[in-house]
Amino acid sequence: MCVVMAEAHQAVAFQFTITPEGIDLHLSYQALNQIYLSGLRSWKKRISRIKNRIIKGVYPASLSSWLFVVIAILATMYMQSDPSMGLIAKIQEHLPLSLSLSAQGQTVLSVLLFSTLLWMSLILALRFCLKLLLSYHRWMFEQHGRISTKTKVWATLVRLLSSRKPLLYSYQTSLPHLPVPPIKDTLERYLESVKPLLDMAGFQRMTRLAAEFEKSLGNRLQKYLKLKALWATNYVSDWWEEYVYLRSQSPIMVNSNYYGMDFLYVSPTANQAARAGNTITALFLYRRKVNREELNPSRIPGTVIPLCAAQCERMFNTTRTPGEETDVLQHWQDSEFVAVYHRGRYFRLWVYRAGRLLSPREIQYQIQRILDDPSLPSPGEDKLGALTAGNRKPWAQVRKQFFSCGVNKRSLDCIEKAAFFVTLDDQEEGMMGEDPSVNLDRYAKSLLHGKCYDRWFDKSFSVVVYKNGKNGLNAEHSWADAPTVAHLWEFTLATDAFHLSYTADGNCRGEIEHSLPPPQRLSWDIPLEVQTQVSESLAVAQALADDVDCHVFPFREFGKGSIKKMKMSPDSFVQLALQLAYYRDRGTFCLTYEASMTRLFREGRTETVRSCSNESCAFVLALEAEEDGEHCRKLFRKTAEKHQNLYRLAMTGSGIDRHLFCLYVVSKYLGVESPFLKEVLSEPWRLSTSQTPVQQMELFDLVNHPEFISLGGGFGPVADDGYGVSYIIMGEEMINFHVSCKHSCTETDSHKFGSQISQAMMDLMTLLNPDFKETTKVKKS
């Protein structure tokens, strides 16, 4: 209590007492200095935003180009030539200041106005040209080494218009809008995708439903969708966010949230407080780069083609708040603190003091204070986070009734308005001990759901730092997709290990200001009704967590280097291995979801690649029937080419599922039923897959530091009787897999399926390279 009172006393900038002699005023210069420096930081941020807004507004031109235009116009005027064709004289005639300026002054002012208008017109023209250029996607469909003249000219023009160093959001207004594909094309591609999954009668029935839909309701819905595409920035993203994520009433833990892991082989330090100190610092350095727009825009690897950066805007200071009808994403402009959970207690940790970011050593010092704090949780506090892990509606009702005012609202605000959430876990995780494989599985489950109450699943992301120095994160899905979070986490891990680093004894670097006020313990008044709901939410979440079966394994036999030598796409290779593994596991084929991105378009998010195709099924059946090797290899390459084409179509706005989803939403708004759309949207994805991008920033050389390989991340199964598979292609010689399913389904087993994946990978490589098996034997011997 004394500490809290002392902190409160220091926070008061001035005090006054009324005495018989008058008013006695006491100023706290230290507090006033803190206020001044914090205000100075806020003004610097505002000025930086204004400056960036202007720089973005003139891109792809520069501010200096305005001066060039003015000088050029003045020079031509000096040479008795009028490049404006009389417009400058017209402007001069209508100047309201004509009486107070000399003739020469009026001419100069008219030239400035004309030059500015001309400059702005040129900027708009350049931006329009860049938008047209970025709308060209045929280059993606051209074979490597056989690039057309048209594409070469296009690439040259894009490089010319992108030659200036852009800010993070410089390309946003130049990105094209996502087009609405023709309904006929979407239906044809849909029928092609389900043909290998249906018998003859079932396929004929779906063909009839699709034809009826196209002739009757489909074209009507399509018109509404085209109208939305003309009006909205992106015709998919807002509905996708609302109806797929925010309107869901089931737990977001496991069902929606996903996780990212630490390095596989190394831990930069075994000191929990030190690892937390560097991790928190690295995340705030990333936020600073986002706020200042100092990050380079993400691009398609190997090209200058930019990707949409809109998802970065809500990365920090963001929380998903529950609602009885729909959840809401709340974002705050700034936050100077993080919320920390340790052994059932919540703290607010300020990471800025007097307008400066605390050093990593100071944050470590503050974290150690939390770790050493002997206080016990208040009644109902320790498992309060379970409210965010259970069903959404009960949490919304409890939040509205018991967290809308008083001490509970103040403490909840500290969590929801924090830059992000930090859990100091009292467990040790990672690839360690006598059975590292089992420990990796436990590590995955810990990041995916923890104890169901020691994470705040509503935050945009929560960082978990374990007792042995390992870390990881759990991310909420509605605000962004995995590549955006992977970009953040890649920066964090690299900055932690290579830029900030540690002393020889494992502590953070930097000096400590010992006068720092201690982290603020959050206070709660949790009535019995809330505690009862906490218990109910925890029971729901615990049942869900116990049912999840996770298996994480590094595949080390070969990587993308060997696959590329066979002139094969690594992603297509892995996807075909998954098809083969699933067929061997279940004896059938299934609807397969592979996540692709549509960030070539403004505010684009994801699209589905239906990886199970007629070609993939024909190849798997031929391989399992032990048909001729050369025939199987031809089918393999044909299947890989088909997969690559499906992926390109999805990236360029010609996918299947987002279009059908939006048509379904329009039908619901109009109050009409479509048997076709209803059936399509109810089909289960029994194999849901995703590749985690790697080395998006190239902050260190993976070849020279192979021990700093990331494990990637994973997610829970989408279908109760299916698998979730995430994979990350690390370096040239490793692919890490994350497999999930549910114990309650007797037909699924993550370890068994993991073994099937490994065997399928080996069999496919042996098919492409018959000498591979002998090479593997030599390596093992």
Side-chain angles (χ1 to χ4, degrees):
M1 179 63 75
C2 292
V3 172
V4 175
M5 290 300 292
E7 184 183 342
H9 180 76
Q10 290 176 6
V12 178
F14 65 90
Q15 295 176 321
F16 66 91
T17 54
I18 301 175
T19 65
E21 288 78 21
I23 297 176
D24 187 12
L25 181 66
H26 299 278
L27 292 174
S28 171
Y29 293 102
Q30 182 182 5
L32 286 173
N33 187 53
Q34 296 283 337
I35 293 170
Y36 165 73
L37 292 172
S38 293
L40 189 63
R41 174 177 172 267
S42 296
W43 275 105
K44 283 181 179 178
K45 287 185 69 175
R46 286 173 189 161
I47 292 169
S48 176
R49 286 195 194 104
I50 292 170
K51 183 190 77 172
N52 287 342
R53 200 171 290 133
I54 294 171
I55 293 172
K56 282 184 301 184
V58 302
Y59 193 85
S62 64
L63 290 172
S64 58
S65 62
W66 173 82
L67 187 61
F68 175 80
V69 172
V70 171
I71 293 172
I73 298 297
L74 283 172
T76 53
M77 293 291 289
Y78 181 75
M79 295 170 66
Q80 304 299 317
S81 176
D82 184 7
S84 71
M85 294 181 289
L87 284 175
I88 292 175
K90 287 285 185 183
I91 293 172
Q92 191 170 342
E93 288 176 11
H94 293 85
L95 283 178
L97 302 176
S98 57
L99 296 176
S100 58
L101 285 175
S102 63
Q104 188 175 5
Q106 292 176 37
T107 302
V108 170
L109 182 57
S110 300
V111 168
L112 286 174
L113 288 171
F114 172 77
S115 300
T116 302
L117 290 171
L118 177 63
W119 178 65
M120 292 173 69
S121 300
L122 289 172
I123 289 170
L124 291 173
L126 287 173
R127 189 176 292 172
F128 179 73
C129 289
L130 184 57
K131 193 167 189 173
L132 284 178
L133 289 169
L134 294 179
S135 300
Y136 174 75
H137 298 131
R138 294 307 306 169
W139 64 273
M140 292 187 69
F141 297 86
E142 295 183 355
Q143 291 184 4
H144 186 68
R146 296 183 182 178
I147 303 173
S148 65
T149 304
K150 181 179 180 181
T151 296
K152 289 178 181 177
V153 172
W154 164 82
T156 303
L157 291 173
V158 171
R159 286 192 183 92
L160 283 173
L161 287 178
S162 306
S163 57
R164 279 194 58 245
K165 181 177 172 58
L167 298 175
L168 176 60
Y169 302 121
S170 289
Y171 288 110
Q172 289 303 103
T173 54
S174 298
L175 291 173
H177 288 199
L178 182 68
V180 181
I183 195 166
K184 183 179 179 63
D185 293 353
T186 298
L187 294 177
E188 286 177 356
R189 283 193 285 267
Y190 168 77
L191 290 172
E192 183 186 359
S193 73
V194 297
K195 189 174 183 179
L197 307 176
L198 299 173
D199 57 22
M200 184 62 71
F203 182 70
Q204 288 176 350
R205 176 177 164 275
M206 284 306 300
T207 303
R208 187 179 67 257
L209 285 175
E212 290 173 358
F213 172 73
E214 182 184 357
K215 289 177 183 176
S216 56
L217 187 60
N219 287 319
R220 180 184 169 198
L221 301 180
Q222 180 83 342
K223 290 176 183 177
Y224 281 98
L225 205 54
K226 285 184 175 180
L227 186 63
K228 188 196 175 187
L230 289 172
W231 175 256
T233 306
N234 189 296
Y235 81 91
V236 176
S237 295
D238 57 339
W239 283 349
W240 187 254
E241 180 179 297
E242 180 180 357
Y243 293 106
V244 173
Y245 295 115
L246 297 180
R247 281 187 179 267
S248 174
Q249 292 296 303
S250 59
I252 61 174
M253 183 198 79
V254 174
N255 293 326
S256 179
N257 287 27
Y258 53 96
Y259 65 87
M261 285 183 165
D262 197 1
F263 298 119
L264 175 59
Y265 296 120
V266 299
S267 290
T269 180
N271 186 319
Q272 184 179 19
R275 192 73 197 279
N278 264 11
T279 300
I280 292 171
T281 302
L283 286 165
F284 272 94
L285 290 176
Y286 187 91
R287 190 183 75 163
R288 179 187 290 173
K289 286 181 174 292
V290 170
N291 289 342
R292 295 177 179 177
E293 301 186 38
E294 293 172 348
L295 289 173
N296 291 323
S298 295
R299 302 177 189 271
I300 293 180
T303 74
V304 295
I305 309 305
L307 302 177
C308 179
Q311 293 181 36
C312 294
E313 295 171 359
R314 298 182 294 182
M315 186 175 289
F316 296 91
N317 332 318
T318 300
T319 295
R320 173 175 174 166
T321 56
E324 295 189 33
E325 293 287 333
T326 179
D327 291 358
V328 176
L329 271 176
Q330 288 190 290
H331 173 72
W332 290 268
Q333 196 67 40
D334 193 19
S335 178
E336 297 187 347
F337 59 89
V338 295
V340 181
Y341 177 92
H342 178 244
R343 290 186 179 175
R345 303 152 311 156
Y346 292 88
F347 296 83
R348 174 162 63 174
L349 171 59
W350 293 92
V351 293
Y352 278 87
R353 180 169 172 81
R356 72 170 179 90
L357 180 64
L358 298 184
S359 71
R361 188 72 180 87
E362 286 173 324
I363 296 176
Q364 176 188 344
Y365 173 70
Q366 295 290 69
I367 291 290
Q368 193 62 53
R369 281 175 150 182
I370 294 174
L371 293 171
D372 295 340
D373 189 326
S375 62
L376 297 174
S378 60
E381 179 185 13
D382 56 338
K383 297 178 180 177
L384 192 63
L387 291 171
T388 68
N391 291 317
R392 304 303 292 172
K393 191 169 183 177
W395 170 212
Q397 293 168 340
V398 165
R399 186 179 186 276
K400 183 178 180 181
Q401 185 174 354
F402 298 101
F403 293 86
S404 296
C405 60
V407 65
N408 287 344
K409 184 182 188 307
R410 290 193 295 273
S411 294
L412 184 61
D413 281 348
C414 288
I415 295 174
E416 294 185 339
K417 294 181 180 180
F420 50 88
F421 192 81
V422 179
T423 295
L424 301 174
D425 205 298
D426 52 8
Q427 302 293 320
E428 295 186 355
E429 299 294 351
M431 191 174 74
M432 58 187 186
E434 297 179 357
D435 195 348
S437 177
V438 171
N439 287 325
L440 281 181
D441 299 346
R442 189 182 71 181
Y443 182 21
K445 281 180 68 68
S446 175
L447 288 172
L448 185 61
H449 55 69
K451 297 173 184 174
C452 303
Y453 59 80
D454 55 350
R455 318 280 189 257
W456 200 267
F457 295 101
D458 287 355
K459 286 299 291 180
S460 54
F461 65 91
S462 299
V463 176
V464 184
V465 185
Y466 294 98
K467 191 176 181 180
N468 60 342
K470 276 289 179 185
N471 69 5
L473 89 165
N474 180 287
E476 199 277 317
H477 209 326
S478 64
W479 64 275
D481 302 304
T484 302
V485 177
H487 192 276
L488 161 74
W489 195 235
E490 183 180 317
F491 175 91
T492 302
L493 292 179
T495 303
D496 168 24
F498 292 94
H499 175 60
L500 299 174
S501 69
Y502 298 86
T503 61
D505 58 355
N507 288 308
C508 296
R509 301 183 185 277
E511 302 298 322
I512 302 177
E513 183 185 328
H514 290 282
S515 62
L516 289 171
Q520 178 189 353
R521 173 78 187 275
L522 301 185
S523 301
W524 306 92
D525 179 16
I526 310 298
L528 289 176
E529 296 96 320
V530 176
Q531 294 184 40
T532 300
Q533 183 55 57
V534 167
S535 298
E536 292 177 4
S537 294
L538 181 58
V540 170
Q542 194 65 60
L544 182 59
D546 292 344
D547 196 23
V548 176
D549 178 21
C550 290
H551 181 43
V552 180
F553 64 98
F555 180 81
R556 301 185 180 92
E557 301 299 328
F558 60 86
K560 71 176 182 182
S562 299
I563 298 172
K564 284 188 171 181
K565 285 179 182 177
M566 299 295 107
K567 296 182 179 179
M568 179 74 65
S569 158
D571 183 61
S572 295
F573 187 97
V574 174
Q575 285 293 325
L576 283 171
L578 293 175
Q579 290 299 315
L580 178 59
Y582 188 88
Y583 183 79
R584 288 173 173 175
D585 184 66
R586 301 289 287 272
T588 185
F589 299 105
C590 73
L591 194 61
T592 304
Y593 183 113
E594 181 188 3
S596 169
M597 57 102 180
T598 55
R599 290 169 61 202
L600 287 168
F601 304 97
R602 192 171 179 184
E603 294 184 14
R605 291 198 61 162
T606 60
E607 178 57 276
T608 305
V609 179
R610 294 181 168 226
S611 301
C612 182
S613 62
N614 292 301
E615 290 80 1
S616 69
C617 294
F619 164 71
V620 169
L621 291 173
L623 188 67
E624 290 300 275
E626 299 182 358
E627 294 185 14
D628 176 67
E630 188 59 35
H631 176 62
C632 287
R633 279 189 285 275
K634 286 181 180 178
L635 289 177
F636 192 177
R637 295 196 179 280
K638 182 180 179 183
T639 305
E641 289 174 9
K642 176 67 175 181
H643 174 263
Q644 284 291 94
N645 191 58
L646 290 174
Y647 203 97
R648 294 177 186 123
L649 285 170
M651 283 184 66
T652 53
S654 296
I656 300 168
D657 292 275
R658 298 303 178 269
H659 186 200
L660 294 178
F661 162 77
C662 288
L663 291 172
Y664 180 75
V665 174
V666 174
S667 74
K668 288 299 178 184
Y669 276 122
L670 296 177
V672 294
E673 288 292 329
S674 166
F676 171 74
L677 289 176
K678 188 176 181 180
E679 187 158 338
V680 169
L681 271 293
S682 63
E683 293 169 343
W685 300 97
R686 291 193 173 89
L687 184 56
S688 182
T689 70
S690 177
Q691 180 187 168
T692 304
V694 66
Q695 290 289 93
Q696 296 183 76
M697 303 187 74
E698 298 183 356
L699 295 173
F700 68 95
D701 188 355
L702 196 58
V703 175
N704 293 327
H705 300 279
E707 69 276 18
F708 287 91
I709 281 177
S710 170
L711 263 169
F715 53 90
V718 174
D720 291 338
D721 58 348
Y723 292 105
V725 182
S726 174
Y727 53 95
I728 180 169
I729 302 173
M730 286 302 307
E732 298 295 311
E733 299 179 355
M734 180 184 287
I735 302 173
N736 293 327
F737 287 91
H738 299 248
V739 182
S740 66
C741 61
K742 291 191 175 182
H743 290 295
S744 56
C745 178
T746 57
E747 297 180 344
T748 57
D749 183 315
S750 66
H751 290 76
K752 179 185 172 186
F753 192 55
S755 298
Q756 294 282 21
I757 293 172
S758 296
Q759 187 59 52
M761 294 282 288
M762 297 291 288
D763 291 347
L764 292 186
M765 181 53 73
T766 303
L767 174 68
L768 290 178
N769 180 14
D771 298 330
F772 172 73
K773 189 173 285 187
E774 296 300 323
T775 307
T776 305
K777 286 180 181 178
V778 171
K779 281 184 179 179
K780 288 184 177 179
S781 61

